[in-house]
Amino acid sequence: MGQYFINMLGPWGWAALACVPPAIVALYFLKLRRKPLEVPSTYLWRKSLEDLHVNSLWQRLRKSILLLLQLLLVALIMIAVLRPGWRGTTLTGERFIFLVDNSASMSAGDVRPTRLDEAKRRTEALIDQMGSGSRAMLVSFSDRAQVVQEFTDNRRLLRDRLRQIQPTQRTTDLKEALQLAAGLANADPRATGDEGDAADSMPADMYIFSDGKFPDVADFSLGNLTPIFVPLGEAAAENVAVTAFSTRPDEVDGTRWQAFAQVANYGPRDVTRTAELYAGDELLDAKQIDIAAGGATGLAFDLGQMQRGALRVVLQEKDSLALDDTAYAAVNPPRLARVLLVSPGNEALRLGLLTSQAREHAQVEFAKPAHLASEAYKQQAASGVYDLVVYDQCRPEAMPEANTLFIGRLPPMLEWQTNAEDGMPPTISGPQVIDTNRAHPILQLVELDDILVAESLSLSPPTGGTVLIDGDRGKLMAIAPRGGYEDAVLGFEIVSTAEDGQRFNTNWPIGRLSFPTFLLNVIEYLGRPSGGTSLQSVRPGEPVTLSADGPAAELTVRSPEGDSQRLVRSQQGTYHFHGTEVAGIYQISQEGGQQRHFAVNLFDETESNIRPRPEEAIQIGYVTVDGRTGWEPARRELWKYVLLGALFVLLVEWYIYNRRVFI
């Protein structure tokens, strides 16, 4: 009822006003007291006896229009004091678009109960103002936009769909919402069939309800849209957030683990917070930190010899935005890359793949070239058993479902054989290395200035490939993508095998540390092992690419809310998960494999810094849209009309009384 009446009196005022109607009614119960008169005859005795009955105080209430008019007058005055009316006036225009921001920062409670609830309240007030025949559309947006309700003149339907908008934990991007609104606004939604293609554009008023936590939108034409920005949020809003949280092995003792967190203060004053570290529901550590206004403080926790676990750091003191008061990280069991070396016999290559550092990252299997024709290999290669296959002086009939390294041979793909005859490119003798791509992970810390090569293939990588080693007479090493995999080719052999035995084709593996470093880089980059650190934390709504321990047809991901989703293995041997809507720890499980976890965190400075735009304006293309701070729908008042009605009743009563009109 608060939207229809506004109380103008206190308790005592209403008590006094409530006494008026009973007093008026009581006056009509009173009887006139007559004076006694002496008469000369008994003729008037009967009349005098009747008058004796009216000398008592009360009489029976008679019908009186004056009483009804007086009570009606008091009732109208009471209604006028309640200030009747409703919010809003009729909006002028035919079409309206309401963009409602439901990103993470709109869950802030500086505006009660939340900014999103306030945005929905104001939107509903505008819907109530729509005139007959007006049409409106609802769009919710965060980092993506969604049409909640297409154009309709059904205000009840608009209100119902508006209430269905739920908060998200995503970041904010206005551009997609503008593109969606412009695409639907610049054509007549009532046109159908062939007329729809040639429908004239129609103007629309576009209301943007948001706290403005998004970048300005450049290179955008509003067309027929008239934007109205309604900023939400208190200018003095404060928030303290966990902006980073990760784990890694101790640099001195690799068997021990550490957790690192960063806490930022987005408020105007210094604060003190207590950060607690949990493993599951067990409290591991707690620290009290002082954070300067606008600053950030780092935290370090010693986890000991932890092999696996789901961690969270929590700020105990609550503030306006609870989403970023907790951050998550995970420690997973080490996962070794599965590597297959197919070679006729290369001791230097075998020893390079069996160094202590290489064995910490990979489990290496060895096979002869004849193994490539076996059914066991074909099934393993097709099912993605291996992460990396190294082909030395040989090549398979078909490419495996894995990353590859070819040594002295080309992949069996036409893309690599553009300058080859019979599958073999030109051979160059005594090439010299003139340049290496040291920025690529495979050649980091690899020095090749003093190596000698007897013979090498001159490579011609396919489109999209990258040259890693360039010689004076041709390209000696390159890498190129293949769907979700990568294929690296080293043009020269390490050891050449012939009928009369083996001979070194290069002096690279002889006394040079760059050779085992090169092989370790190949394992780390193409094998992609996991050393037990947490999977990279992603933001809510971002997709995640997962891998399995060995060939698995499916993975199961369990969300923090308890929902499970099965993921099917893609052709690239990976699994794609798109259900990261809620911050927390997600559990990965597979049949016959160890359970692993990954974390989803907000970790966005724009969303955590919840103070609205200081300039209270947004830029859309070349148009500056000023914010309507404190904007409220207009209220249509009725108390003046009620008072006019009360005045009319008073005049009627006066006329009846003076004219002695009795009904």
Side-chain angles (χ1 to χ4, degrees):
M1 296 296 290
Q3 59 179 329
Y4 300 111
F5 295 99
I6 299 177
N7 188 10
M8 303 290 291
L9 296 179
W12 290 107
W14 278 109
L17 192 59
C19 294
V20 175
I24 294 176
V25 175
L27 292 176
Y28 279 84
F29 279 100
L30 293 177
K31 292 193 295 187
L32 296 177
R33 184 173 296 277
R34 305 293 179 86
K35 294 181 179 181
L37 297 176
E38 293 182 1
V39 295
S41 173
T42 60
Y43 177 77
L44 299 176
W45 285 2
R46 180 180 297 178
K47 184 66 176 176
S48 298
L49 290 175
E50 291 178 356
D51 290 343
L52 291 177
H53 295 288
V54 302
N55 288 334
S56 60
L57 182 62
W58 304 104
Q59 67 176 352
R60 179 179 298 178
L61 184 64
R62 299 177 181 179
K63 294 181 180 180
S64 173
I65 191 173
L66 293 179
L67 173 61
L68 296 177
L69 290 175
Q70 290 167 1
L71 292 178
L72 177 60
L73 176 63
V74 175
L76 291 175
I77 293 175
M78 288 183 174
I79 294 175
V81 171
L82 283 174
R83 194 180 168 187
W86 64 85
R87 288 179 179 174
T89 58
T90 302
L91 288 177
T92 57
E94 296 184 9
R95 297 200 300 170
F96 306 94
I97 301 176
F98 303 120
L99 305 184
V100 181
D101 184 357
N102 64 342
S103 61
S105 60
M106 291 293 286
S107 295
D110 56 329
V111 178
R112 297 295 180 182
T114 66
R115 293 178 177 180
L116 177 59
D117 291 318
E118 177 66 10
K120 292 163 68 173
R121 183 187 69 82
R122 295 192 178 191
T123 304
E124 185 171 0
L126 286 178
I127 293 174
D128 293 338
Q129 296 180 44
M130 290 172 52
S132 177
S134 297
R135 303 165 63 87
M137 178 178 69
L138 283 174
V139 177
S140 65
F141 71 95
S142 51
D143 59 349
R144 65 179 183 181
Q146 179 181 4
V147 177
V148 179
Q149 175 58 51
E150 297 180 351
F151 277 107
T152 180
D153 57 359
N154 189 331
R155 289 185 290 180
R156 180 178 179 181
L157 179 60
L158 286 169
R159 285 191 291 265
D160 291 341
R161 294 298 172 85
L162 175 66
R163 298 186 185 106
Q164 295 177 9
I165 297 178
Q166 298 298 319
T168 70
Q169 299 182 13
R170 292 171 171 260
T171 56
T172 318
D173 188 357
L174 180 62
K175 187 171 184 178
E176 184 177 339
L178 292 177
Q179 292 173 340
L180 184 60
L184 295 175
N186 291 332
D188 188 354
R190 291 168 291 187
T192 58
D194 297 335
E195 297 179 359
D197 298 333
D200 295 333
S201 298
M202 296 180 62
D205 293 334
M206 180 178 62
Y207 288 82
I208 306 171
F209 295 90
S210 173
D211 52 12
K213 308 307 294 183
F214 50 78
D216 292 331
V217 182
D219 302 326
F220 185 84
S221 177
L222 289 167
N224 291 312
L225 295 175
T226 302
I228 302 169
F229 175 47
V230 183
L232 301 167
E234 299 293 337
E238 301 181 8
N239 186 44
V240 178
V242 182
T243 56
F245 187 41
S246 62
T247 60
R248 70 184 182 194
D250 187 273
E251 296 180 357
V252 178
D253 185 357
T255 63
R256 302 182 65 86
W257 285 81
Q258 290 180 313
F260 299 91
Q262 179 176 280
V263 181
N265 177 14
Y266 296 105
R269 57 188 180 89
D270 300 346
V271 297
T272 300
R273 290 290 186 267
T274 301
E276 296 181 348
L277 178 67
Y278 291 86
D281 295 329
E282 179 185 358
L283 177 64
L284 299 182
D285 198 359
K287 294 185 178 182
Q288 191 174 68
I289 53 176
D290 297 324
I291 317 170
T297 300
L299 291 170
F301 299 95
D302 186 9
L303 303 178
Q305 296 181 340
M306 175 177 285
Q307 293 297 321
R308 67 173 67 195
L311 304 175
R312 58 189 171 98
V313 60
V314 182
L315 299 179
Q316 288 303 310
E317 293 78 8
K318 302 303 180 182
D319 50 31
S320 297
L321 186 61
L323 292 177
D324 51 17
D325 291 342
T326 303
Y328 306 87
V331 177
N332 293 302
R335 176 186 176 274
L336 299 181
R338 298 195 64 181
V339 179
L340 173 65
L341 171 61
V342 185
S343 173
N346 189 333
E347 190 66 15
L349 192 58
R350 188 183 72 85
L351 293 177
L353 293 173
L354 291 178
T355 62
S356 59
Q357 288 183 315
R359 284 182 296 182
E360 291 179 358
H361 295 82
Q363 177 184 354
V364 184
E365 300 178 18
F366 301 93
K368 296 292 185 179
H371 179 64
L372 299 179
S374 67
E375 290 298 326
Y377 163 78
K378 293 179 180 179
Q379 292 179 0
Q380 292 173 339
S383 60
V385 170
Y386 300 105
D387 301 298
L388 169 63
V389 181
V390 181
Y391 298 98
D392 176 38
Q393 307 173 67
C394 63
R395 68 176 185 177
E397 295 180 358
M399 296 297 291
E401 296 294 325
N403 295 327
T404 62
L405 170 62
F406 288 82
I407 301 178
R409 297 293 187 273
L410 290 181
M413 301 168 59
L414 295 177
E415 293 85 352
W416 283 91
Q417 301 173 13
T418 55
N419 65 340
E421 297 180 2
D422 299 329
M424 292 295 292
T427 300
I428 52 179
S429 299
Q432 293 183 354
V433 176
I434 61 174
D435 189 22
T436 60
N437 188 349
R438 299 184 181 182
H440 197 278
I442 288 181
L443 293 183
Q444 286 184 358
L445 304 178
V446 176
E447 296 291 340
L448 300 177
D449 296 337
D450 60 343
I451 71 167
L452 301 176
V453 178
E455 291 182 346
S456 176
L457 302 177
S458 178
L459 304 178
S460 180
T463 303
T466 302
V467 176
L468 300 181
I469 303 177
D470 202 356
D472 58 344
R473 283 177 286 171
K475 299 174 178 60
L476 306 183
M477 186 176 183
I479 189 170
R482 171 177 48 94
Y485 302 110
E486 289 187 274
D487 302 312
V489 178
L490 183 64
F492 56 89
E493 299 174 350
I494 306 300
V495 174
S496 299
T497 302
E499 294 181 358
D500 56 350
Q502 293 184 338
R503 62 179 178 84
F504 279 99
N505 187 53
T506 175
N507 64 345
W508 190 10
I510 303 175
R512 287 171 175 78
L513 295 177
S514 61
F515 184 70
T517 301
F518 165 77
L519 295 179
L520 182 62
N521 290 346
V522 169
I523 291 175
E524 291 182 343
Y525 181 74
L526 295 177
R528 297 170 184 170
S530 172
T533 57
S534 60
L535 296 174
Q536 183 180 6
S537 176
V538 298
R539 291 174 178 168
E542 291 184 351
V544 181
T545 301
L546 305 173
S547 59
D549 293 327
E554 292 183 347
L555 288 183
T556 301
V557 178
R558 184 181 178 87
S559 72
E561 297 178 325
D563 301 327
S564 296
Q565 180 177 344
R566 293 183 179 273
L567 308 179
V568 180
R569 182 174 176 270
S570 67
Q571 295 182 350
Q572 291 75 31
T574 56
Y575 308 81
H576 303 286
F577 180 65
H578 299 273
T580 58
E581 295 297 332
V582 180
I585 294 292
Y586 289 72
Q587 177 181 296
I588 311 169
S589 59
Q590 70 179 82
E591 184 177 356
Q594 295 178 323
Q595 288 187 348
R596 293 176 293 146
H597 304 83
F598 71 91
V600 176
N601 294 288
L602 181 59
F603 291 169
D604 188 273
E605 180 180 356
T606 303
E607 297 296 323
S608 294
N609 187 1
I610 62 174
R611 285 179 293 176
R613 288 171 173 252
E615 65 274 15
E616 297 175 353
I618 59 176
Q619 189 75 24
I620 302 177
Y622 296 101
V623 179
T624 300
V625 184
D626 294 326
R628 297 179 63 174
T629 306
W631 177 88
E632 282 285 350
R635 177 180 174 83
R636 189 159 192 172
E637 303 285 358
L638 293 179
W639 64 272
K640 296 179 181 178
Y641 303 100
V642 175
L643 284 182
L644 288 177
L647 180 60
F648 175 77
V649 171
L650 183 62
L651 292 175
V652 172
E653 182 197 18
W654 175 85
Y655 174 80
I656 293 176
Y657 179 79
N658 285 278
R659 291 289 184 177
R660 296 293 191 273
V661 179
F662 299 95
I663 299 177

